[in-house]
Structures are given as C-alpha cells and as structure tokens.
Amino acid sequence: MKADLETGAAAAIEAPRLGEPYLLTPGPLTTAWSVKEQMLRDWGSWDGDFRAMTARLRTELLSLVGTGAEDFDCVPVQGSGTFVVEAMLGSLLPRDSKTLVLINGAYGQRIAKTMDCIGRAHVDIDKGDYLPPRGQEVAAALAADPDITHVVVVHCETSSGILNPIREISEATYAAGRKLLIDSMSAFGAIDVAAGDIRYEAVVSSANKCIEGVPGFGFIIARKSELIAAEGNAHSLSLDVHDQWANMEKTGQWRFTPPTHVVAAFMEALRLHREEGGIQGRGARYTKNRDVLVDGMRELGFETLLRDRWLSPIIVTFFNPADEKFEFTRFYELMKARGFIIYPGKLTVVDSFRVGCIGQMDHHTMRAVVVAAKSSLDAMGIASARPPQAALSEREKLAA
Ligand SMILES: *Cc1c(COP(=O)(O)O)cnc(C)c1O
C-alpha cells in the first residue's frame, strides 16, 4: 500500500490557512482557499454574468452523469440538501403515487418523515442501522404490492457510512416496471452514478459534499420527461422543481434570490474537481484517505462498524473503545485541540463515532488524524482502543 500511496497522483492539498481545524465531517467540510476566495465578490442575480454562471453550473453538473446525460437536465434548488430531497419527492412523485422507501439509517428515516409531511403514500423496508437493503427484498416488496409506483434509496447512508447496492436495487425496480429516485447527497462526485450505467429517474446532491463547495444549495439531475410530467405535482411553491426548471429554461434565472456567493465558490470547486480527474480522481483520493485512516485506527485497536465490503470512501463509523476511561466528549475535545473535528455516531444499538474522509484532505492528513487519535488516547490513559466484545458480535450479524 505504501508504494501505491507514493505513486498516486498528487492532489494539491494545503492545510486550512487560518489555522482552523479540519472538518472530518460529511459537510460542511474543509474547502480549498481558492473556493473561499470566490466569495469575496458580489454578483447581481439577474445580471448576464451570473446567468451565464448558472448555465455553466447546470451543464457541468449534468456532464457528471456521463453517457445518457442528454435525456436529463440539472435544476439547482436553494437551501440545504434536505430541501432538494423534499423538492424531488414533492415534485416527481404524483399525488396518487405510492413509494417504497428503503431505510437503513437517519437519512432514509428522514425521507419517510418527509413523505408523511408532504402527504405522499409510502411503505418502508427498514433494515436498522447498518444492513443494506438488497435487490431481492425490493423485488419481493414490489411483487407483493402492485400499487407501488416508485422506489427511493439513499446511495451512501451517511449515518453509518454504508454504501448501498444501488445497482441491484435499480435492476429490481425496473424489472418490476417501477421508477427509482436516488439520494446521492454524500456520494455524488466521488462515486459514479452514470445514467447510461445505472437506471434511475432522478438523483440529488448538494454543494457542500463531494464537490467540496460551501453550503447553500442542492441540485437535482432528473430525466427531462419526468421534469415535464412534474407540472402541478408539488406541495410547495419554493420547492417546485418543475417551476424552477421551467423558469430557468425561460429566463436563465433562479426564481427567488440565489446564493450567489455560494454558486461562485462552487464553480471553482467544480474546476478543482475536474483538475483532480473528475469522479475517478476524487473517488481515488477519498478511497486512499479511508484506507490510511482505517488501517491506522485498527493499529490502535479501533474497529469499524461495517465489514470492509460495505465501507464507503465517504465516512467511517468506529466503535467506541471498551476501556471505561473512554468518554466521547473528552476524546472530541482532545482531537479538536490537535486540529481535527470528528463527528458523533448516529446509531441506536452501539456507541460509536464517525470520521469523514471527504473534503480538502489527503492521506497525509489522515495519517495525522491517526497520530492525533493515538495521542488523545494516551492523554486519557487508554492503552488499547479495542471495542467491547458485544459490539463485535453485533457486527457479525452483517452477512458476508
Ligand atoms: C447531507 C445529507 C443530506 C442532507 O442533509 P442537510 O443537512 O440538509 O444538508 C441528505 N441525505 C444524505 C445521505 C446526506 O448525507
């Protein structure tokens, strides 16, 4: 692995210039200085220059779905990622639709809750904290209920870091003649969702995840036929994707005040993404980040919640150590003092914490994270970070 690390294409990563800690979180995340710099200038939202920027934004994002992109269009939506998930559900799901929601963590649960809020019928498959929904389960659920029209899945379930098998889920969905919507919020830009490769009607993500922009808008990449058919579906004015799309097509403008500075910063983030080799290059850096992190943490005795097969290159969940002297808030503060902000766990059954692999960081940064974890454990008087046996037995439930 060492040789591989040294020969890998070097991404130009620099440490945060103001001395702020690295954000080892799934967004907002550590951004490049040149991205932040773009926010120093003001833009008129109706002006031709900003309209041209919006047009480029849409074209460049669309190109990231690769072959098959010509049948799709990209519509940016103001707000955080949740806003664009809600916009997708409310706009693309007809009022008389019925949706199978696949849940294995907090973001799948949020989708189910959104469906209740906006009054769209749904049935759920809930796999708990860390088991993936599988193709056969989807096929069985669809066969059992002919009223189901759509399936919604989270690509990388950021609460555990599990990478869900969207290919087999897509195959099961379309084999049964239904339609698939994907929340690829934390994966888009680092893990391929090529439209010519995996079939779906729409995919959503936001500015502050793998493209490494700052927070302020999300975007939906949807099949044009679905955008046309979405007219009149929406439960909301501001989250109406059809209306936003139709208006953008006509005037080149966002319907309501756009986050101008965020868009300008995002254009630079997209440039850096291209320069790094696009989805492949970005995905390779994150994968290396994860491998160095996981190897180093295992040397300290830590263990991952997920078996290697389901680990994403986005974020990794580690069990809390069994040692009674371990206390998460203290560990958090010690890590922060060493320049790294980690993330609490989001599981119900076992105690855990998370470390993100995305943002302006490389494998050198991740090695420094491991060194900081070691010295934080030392400061707490903990010799080994081994998790409790119960946590490891829990993990055994994960089928191979
Ligand atoms: C980040 C994220 C969201 C959106 O969360 P916001 O806090 O609204 O930005 C939705 N789904 C997934 C899988 C995410 O990782």
Side-chain angles (χ1 to χ4, degrees):
M1 169 168 315
K2 198 149 191 137
D4 172 40
L5 287 181
E6 254 113 61
T7 54
I13 303 288
E14 61 166 336
R17 280 201 199 173
L18 304 179
E20 72 271 35
Y22 281 96
L23 302 179
L24 302 169
T25 59
L29 37 66
T30 298
T31 57
W33 183 261
S34 65
V35 166
K36 295 189 254 283
E37 227 169 26
Q38 294 303 313
M39 294 187 287
L40 290 171
R41 120 154 227 206
D42 305 314
W43 298 83
S45 62
W46 42 264
D47 184 71
D49 292 344
F50 186 73
R51 275 186 281 143
M53 193 187 277
T54 297
R56 265 200 300 128
L57 166 79
R58 295 175 61 199
T59 310
E60 287 183 26
L61 279 174
L62 194 55
S63 74
L64 292 180
V65 301
T67 54
E70 57 283 356
D71 296 333
F72 286 73
D73 208 346
C74 172
V75 188
V77 175
Q78 297 93 328
S80 85
T82 304
F83 290 60
V84 72
V85 173
E86 183 168 336
M88 168 175 75
L89 299 174
S91 305
L92 263 50
L93 297 174
R95 294 188 188 206
D96 60 356
S97 60
K98 183 173 182 182
T99 300
L100 174 64
V101 180
L102 306 179
I103 302 175
N104 58 338
Y107 291 99
Q109 277 166 4
R110 189 179 296 175
I111 287 174
K113 194 171 172 186
T114 306
M115 299 290 281
D116 292 337
C117 274
I118 67 178
R120 295 292 190 278
H122 64 101
V123 287
D124 308 334
I125 292 178
D126 190 341
K127 300 296 300 279
D129 280 339
Y130 49 81
L131 292 172
R134 302 303 304 258
Q136 317 89 276
E137 295 171 297
V138 172
L142 295 179
D145 188 346
D147 290 342
I148 295 174
T149 53
H150 293 75
V151 177
V152 184
V153 67
V154 177
H155 190 182
C156 171
E157 178 43 87
T158 323
S159 50
S160 64
I162 194 167
L163 196 56
N164 283 327
I166 57 167
R167 181 182 303 277
E168 65 181 45
I169 289 164
S170 168
E171 282 163 6
T173 301
Y174 287 95
R178 321 299 169 84
K179 292 177 170 176
L180 181 66
L181 308 179
I182 303 175
D183 170 357
S184 184
M185 202 68 62
S186 60
F188 187 87
I191 300 170
D192 224 350
V193 279
D197 186 31
I198 295 176
R199 193 166 166 195
Y200 52 83
E201 304 306 313
V203 63
V204 288
S205 183
S206 74
N208 60 283
K209 303 259 175 166
C210 297
I211 309 286
E212 300 184 357
V214 304
F217 72 91
F219 50 89
I220 173 169
I221 295 178
R223 205 176 284 280
K224 282 182 205 160
S225 54
E226 292 291 304
L227 288 169
I228 294 167
E231 184 169 9
N233 281 349
H235 61 296
S236 153
L237 173 69
S238 56
L239 298 179
D240 186 339
V241 172
H242 173 86
D243 207 38
Q244 179 92 329
W245 175 64
N247 253 274
M248 247 175 213
E249 287 291 280
K250 207 163 106 193
T251 67
Q253 294 179 36
W254 302 52
R255 282 176 309 161
F256 313 119
T257 302
T260 46
H261 301 74
V262 176
V263 174
F266 192 76
M267 298 312 294
E268 169 64 7
L270 277 171
R271 192 190 66 76
L272 294 177
H273 184 264
R274 251 191 334 271
E275 197 176 86
E276 193 176 347
I279 295 169
Q280 260 61 46
R282 180 83 23 121
R285 173 160 61 86
Y286 291 171
T287 300
K288 208 176 277 184
N289 284 354
R290 179 205 56 203
D291 290 345
V292 168
L293 173 74
V294 169
D295 287 354
M297 293 293 270
R298 281 182 177 154
E299 280 166 28
L300 304 182
F302 283 107
E303 241 336 307
T304 58
L305 164 77
L306 301 171
R307 293 252 182 99
D308 290 358
R309 174 180 176 188
W310 300 108
L311 282 179
S312 69
I314 308 299
I315 188 165
V316 180
T317 299
F318 293 98
F319 293 121
N320 285 3
D323 193 311
E324 281 165 8
K325 294 192 285 300
F326 186 85
E327 194 206 325
F328 177 73
T329 47
R330 174 125 163 82
F331 185 62
Y332 178 94
E333 289 303 335
L334 289 164
M335 289 296 286
K336 184 176 172 187
R338 286 156 179 76
F340 301 104
I341 290 200
I342 58 171
Y343 215 49
K346 229 180 189 177
L347 307 177
T348 50
V349 184
V350 290
D351 290 328
S352 62
F353 65 92
R354 292 177 288 170
V355 182
C357 306
I358 66 179
Q360 276 291 293
M361 321 180 289
D362 62 10
H363 57 277
H364 300 292
T365 323
M366 299 321 261
R367 195 59 218 172
V369 172
V370 173
V371 171
K374 167 90 173 80
S375 106
S376 299
L377 290 175
D378 287 348
M380 297 172 87
I382 296 169
S384 164
R386 251 184 68 80
Q389 195 48 50
L392 294 174
S393 325
E394 184 67 23
R395 186 174 74 162
E396 293 311 306
K397 291 187 195 160
L398 262 179

